[in-house]
């Protein structure tokens, strides 16, 4: 049985964040998810009564779709609680498109919330420590950073990547964040400051690591036909692909190559475009090495050339390839999982609604999510009306 043609069949019609940063001890993840959902639905000219497809994942809530549906008062006829870490929400977009085109639902709400920062202040974490196999636990790794540090160290050894290359990623993210009034940290950052920051898991320092913030996000998706009658310009799903090869870092086949090589190949094929056609990239930058690995695996440069590729401000404001124009997980926000926020930023860039950080002529945007320890990889390519 062949799958339906998804290219341009569905569109994002509403996006929103909740309050971000540090919301305080009296607010909770599901409340932030609901705040974002209400704002995204309002932007789309819809309400909870229109929602018949619910897609969500919240850390620490094993039945997140049931909790969220009850809290919002929606009664979905299609539910998806796929939980593959931070890539879940781009996966949800792919699944929502399949559900809508096959008639399983008409209006899909993708939603997330987390109080990761405030939870730590309350003396409790939103979820327990990562599960480790005994052969990893014996070495007492500090997960997840230890896994990403392994990948960074291997990339350095194999390709000559340096800490300065990693610092270029952090500085670029901060320069974008300076243009985003919602970003958690906006003060200037230099390469020397990154290099001088405290090492957490060699070779990664504190400034190579993502933020820990509170926040939520929501994305509303419907059919292309219905989207044309709604208030905001539709942003169409042109292509999507998913892949995963491992769960634990010790089982990753090659520490320098991620399953983004496969997810992006599938997304490009569905969209009928390639890296040269992409006007902007929004990807999951939990650590600075992520950006280098993903730009390689998504086809923007050859394997091993990522460090040089990001150098000299290439991915910063004014550079040749705009990457994480909201400031990314490194400087904008990272509430436990970041994967819904690339979709929100890509939508705003295509609509021309990104304010001071808006890039000219964004017709095609690539979004990419990462889950686990470079484990789950999901790529989605979005486009405006002119791309159909």
């Amino acid at each position: 049985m062949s799958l339906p043609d998804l290219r341009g069949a569905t569109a994002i019609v509403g996006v929103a964040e909740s309050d971000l940063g540090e919301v305080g001890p009296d607010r909770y993840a599901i409340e932030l998810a609901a705040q974002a959902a209400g704002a995204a639905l309002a932007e789309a000219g819809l309400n909870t009564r229109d929602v018949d497809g619910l897609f969500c994942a919240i850390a620490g809530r094993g039945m997140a779709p049931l909790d969220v549906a009850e809290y919002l008062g929606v009664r979905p006829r299609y539910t998806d609680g796929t939980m593959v870490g931070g890539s879940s929400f781009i996966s949800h977009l792919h699944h929502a498109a399949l559900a809508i085109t096959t008639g399983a639902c008409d209006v899909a709400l993708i939603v997330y919330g987390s109080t990761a920062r405030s939870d730590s202040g309350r003396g409790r974490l939103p979820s327990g420590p990562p599960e480790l196999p005994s052969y990893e636990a014996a070495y007492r790794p500090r997960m997840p950073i230890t896994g990403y540090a392994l990948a960074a160290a291997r990339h350095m050894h194999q390709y000559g990547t340096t800490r300065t290359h990693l610092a270029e990623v952090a500085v670029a993210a901060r320069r974008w964040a300076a243009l985003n009034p919602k970003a958690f940290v906006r003060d200037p950052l230099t390469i020397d400051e990154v290099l001088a920051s405290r090492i957490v898991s060699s070779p990664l320092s504190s400034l190579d690591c993502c933020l820990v913030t509170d926040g939520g996000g929501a994305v509303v998706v419907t059919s292309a036909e219905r989207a044309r009658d709604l208030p905001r310009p539709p942003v169409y799903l042109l292509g999507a692909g998913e892949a995963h090869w491992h769960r634990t870092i010790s089982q990753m086949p090659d520490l320098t190559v991620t399953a983004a090589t496969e997810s992006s190949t599938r997304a490009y094929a569905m969209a009928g475009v390639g890296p040269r056609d992409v006007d902007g990239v929004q990807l999951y930058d939990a650590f600075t090495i992520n950006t280098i690995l993903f730009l390689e695996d998504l086809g923007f440069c050859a394997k091993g050339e990522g460090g040089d590729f990001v150098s000299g401000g290439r991915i910063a404001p004014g550079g040749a390839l705009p990457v994480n124009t909201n400031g990314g997980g490194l400087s904008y926000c990272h509430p436990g999982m970041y994967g819904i926020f690339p979709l929100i930023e890509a939508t705003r860039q295509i609509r021309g609604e990104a304010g001071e950080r808006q890039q000219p002529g964004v017709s095609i945007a690539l979004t990419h999510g990462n889950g686990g320890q470079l484990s789950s990889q999901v790529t989605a390519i979005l486009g405006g009306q002119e791309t159909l």
Side-chain angles (χ1 to χ4, degrees):
M1 183 180 72
S2 61
L3 292 173
D5 182 5
L6 296 185
R7 190 186 194 281
T10 58
I12 294 172
V13 293
V15 296
E17 305 111 323
S18 71
D19 295 336
L20 302 174
E22 187 166 1
V23 299
D26 297 327
R27 301 183 68 187
Y28 290 87
I30 198 165
E31 178 190 352
L32 298 185
Q35 182 189 22
L41 286 166
E43 182 180 88
L46 301 169
N47 58 54
T48 54
R49 292 187 298 275
D50 296 300
V51 175
D52 61 352
L54 181 62
F55 300 75
C56 63
I58 296 178
R61 287 184 178 264
M63 299 185 187
L66 303 184
D67 292 333
V68 171
E70 178 181 82
Y71 195 89
L72 293 177
V74 301
R75 296 184 176 185
R77 60 190 177 103
Y78 190 91
T79 299
D80 188 326
T82 297
M83 175 53 158
V84 284
S87 62
S88 299
F89 312 97
I90 300 179
S91 181
H92 290 164
L93 176 63
H94 185 200
H95 299 180
L98 286 165
I100 291 166
T101 55
T102 56
C105 68
D106 295 318
V107 174
L109 173 64
I110 304 168
V111 64
Y112 174 66
S114 169
T115 48
R117 188 176 186 89
S118 291
D119 283 346
S120 62
R122 282 192 282 256
R124 67 177 180 86
L125 296 177
S127 59
E131 295 180 8
L132 296 173
S134 59
Y135 49 81
E136 286 190 5
Y139 294 93
R140 302 177 68 183
R142 185 176 183 178
M143 294 301 186
I145 188 174
T146 299
Y148 288 87
L150 280 170
R154 181 64 195 181
H155 205 277
M156 289 177 165
H157 171 77
Q158 192 162 328
Y159 296 113
T161 306
T162 67
R163 286 197 62 221
T164 298
H165 288 139
L166 298 176
E168 289 269 7
V169 174
V171 169
R174 187 63 61 84
R175 288 181 59 194
W176 285 115
L179 304 177
N180 183 358
K182 294 183 179 180
F184 189 65
V185 285
R186 303 179 65 198
D187 49 304
L189 181 67
T190 68
I191 287 176
D192 286 343
E193 286 173 328
V194 178
L195 296 179
S197 62
R198 175 177 56 89
I199 293 293
V200 179
S201 186
S202 181
L204 300 180
S205 74
S206 60
L207 291 175
D208 289 302
C209 302
C210 66
L211 303 168
V212 177
T213 70
D214 303 325
V219 175
V220 182
V221 187
T222 192
S223 66
E225 182 179 8
R226 185 168 186 175
R228 287 191 285 270
D229 296 327
L230 297 176
R232 295 298 179 95
V235 173
Y236 298 91
L237 176 64
L238 303 180
E242 306 183 39
H244 55 86
W245 298 340
H246 68 282
R247 169 64 175 90
T248 57
I249 195 69
S250 63
Q251 301 306 303
M252 188 172 177
D254 182 334
L255 288 169
T256 69
V257 181
T258 75
T261 53
E262 289 186 0
S263 67
S264 63
T265 297
R266 293 165 186 153
Y268 287 135
M270 185 186 296
V273 302
R276 292 184 179 181
D277 301 304
V278 172
D279 301 309
V281 178
Q282 312 296 334
L283 53 78
Y284 200 129
D285 57 342
F287 302 92
T288 50
I289 188 61
N290 293 39
T291 301
I292 290 173
L293 288 174
F294 295 150
L295 287 173
E296 293 174 349
D297 293 345
L298 296 169
F300 292 97
C301 61
K303 179 54 62 180
E305 296 180 2
D308 287 339
F309 184 84
V310 302
S311 296
R314 185 192 293 262
I315 64 172
L321 181 66
V323 175
N324 290 352
T325 50
N326 57 5
L330 292 168
S331 287
Y332 157 58
C333 78
H334 192 288
M337 295 189 288
Y338 177 72
I340 201 165
F341 299 100
L343 295 174
I344 294 171
E345 179 67 10
T347 297
R348 289 174 175 159
Q349 286 286 339
I350 290 170
R351 288 177 177 171
E353 298 174 351
E356 191 179 355
R357 66 189 185 278
Q358 178 64 49
Q359 297 301 290
V362 178
S363 294
I364 296 176
L366 182 146
T367 65
H368 184 76
N370 164 71
Q373 296 178 52
L374 298 170
S375 310
S376 170
Q377 305 298 324
V378 186
T379 310
I381 298 170
L382 308 180
Q385 179 69 41
E386 67 278 7
T387 64
L388 300 183

